Amino acid sequence: MKRRRYILLLVALLMLTVQLHAQQGTEATNGIKFFKGTFSEALAQAKQENKIVFVDFYAVWCVPCKKMAKTVFTQEEVGKYFNEHFISLQLDAEKGENVDIAKNYKIVAYPTVAFIAPDGKALSVNTGAMDKDELMDAAKIAAGESVSFEELYNKYKADNNDLDVQQQLLLKAPSFLQAQEGMDADKWVTRLQKLYKNYVAAKAPLKLINENDYRIILSLEGDEDREHKQYVIDLMNDHLDDWMKKLGKAPAYYIVEANDIFAEDMAKDGNVKYKDYVEKVKSQYAKAYEVVGLTGITAYEKAKLYFDALFNLYKNKDVNGYVKAMETYFGKMENNLRSADYGKAAQNLYMAAGKSLKAKDHEVAIKWAEKALAQEDAVMDRVNYMVMIGDSYRELKNYTKAREYYNQAFAETLRLENMEMPQAMLQGAIKQKLSTLELLEK
């Protein structure tokens, strides 16, 4: 116990040390070259060079600020464009005269990046972390090389038959929606979903086969409207050769993923219609499923084994039948297996059967989750598997092992340095499990 707490403390101290030494002004050779003077000096330099001032408002404690500085500002494409068009400056918005500068531009959250004219007038202020494409788009709008979302929307309202304007608008929609809040966000989601569906209908089936429209489908075709998603994947499937000629295997994978999600949702709902989607694997969508490239088992055999097992578990609560079916599934899948296959198998046990699981069932769940954990690198998934294992050990009344896995899960969350909210939520949930464990041990 003491050793585990010591390790957790050591990890926390190491993380703190890294953060304290990660200076916001660090830049790569090919990235943005930041001006070293004051804000007023940057404005003067911008006036002299006839440029705009780009300001990165940050706080020393802001993890997303550090991530942008490390992974976005350092990219060669970003550096080349910004060094040519802007005088770039980084300001600690909570230090000295920068506090008043930040207030003047109504900076209330970090990171915030602003594009400011040499006379001090704000051209645009963008709150929230941005990836390379989002930052480049904002920069080109400020430089006058691209139009803003609002300008495009006004063009669309003036002529709602211009598909080129609609395409540009929908490409910008995801980053625009991300910045909206409350009722404004709901209003824009409704507007843009209607526009998106009309746009797809207007260009279907062949004019949609291009990279930009595929990006639009990926970002705006959600899972809420199942009927429309079915329409879209059938559009792709009916002309799959053309789609794959233009975009490679990605559209086929999109069809496979969507059909699998439909089948899984139906199976978990105990709806026998899941079988309709399974049958499509060897009929309507056979060509799409060929891209999966399974060895030793066909895509149809895989789908039938898995979804039959899932339906039996959720509909009939037949844990023994599910475990037997999944062991057969794992045996036939062999080299095709991924960590997620074991992880999902264990998670479905918990979700479908929960408190009715017997000791032997928890032992199976632990075995599957440990196999998933051994092959998984993604932090969120590792935390999930560790917590599942801890839960099973708790039900087995092996509180020592339960505590060990909960503590491992907590330590793993420390790697989520750029995801403060998920990190806090996970840590809070794990602390609650540890508190419950203390009560059980008394």
Side-chain angles (χ1 to χ4, degrees), residues 122-138:
L123 301 176
S124 70
V125 178
N126 307 269
T127 301
M130 307 171 83
D131 62 22
K132 184 203 74 173
D133 291 337
E134 291 167 338
L135 182 64
M136 288 293 290
D137 188 50

Side-chain angles (χ1 to χ4, degrees), residues 355-374:
K355 292 294 183 181
S356 66
L357 292 177
K358 299 176 181 177
K360 63 183 180 64
D361 304 323
H362 281 291
E363 289 169 358
V364 170
I366 290 170
K367 180 183 72 172
W368 288 348
E370 284 181 336
K371 285 185 177 181
L373 186 60

Side-chain angles (χ1 to χ4, degrees), residues 349-420:
L349 271 180
Y350 295 117
M351 293 177 67
K355 292 294 183 181
S356 66
L357 292 177
K358 299 176 181 177
K360 63 183 180 64
D361 304 323
H362 281 291
E363 289 169 358
V364 170
I366 290 170
K367 180 183 72 172
W368 288 348
E370 284 181 336
K371 285 185 177 181
L373 186 60
Q375 303 173 40
E376 185 58 68
D377 294 324
V379 176
M380 296 287 279
D381 289 330
R382 287 181 60 80
V383 171
N384 185 37
Y385 298 149
M386 288 173 182
V387 168
M388 286 196 297
I389 294 170
D391 286 348
S392 277
Y393 275 123
R394 183 191 63 202
E395 295 303 313
L396 292 172
K397 295 184 170 50
N398 189 337
Y399 301 138
T400 300
K401 292 293 287 185
R403 182 177 296 281
E404 177 185 331
Y405 276 94
Y406 289 153
N407 282 334
Q408 284 183 25
F410 190 91
E412 197 75 22
T413 65
L414 298 176
R415 294 172 57 194
L416 295 170
E417 55 182 303
N418 62 332
M419 301 172 68
E420 291 177 308

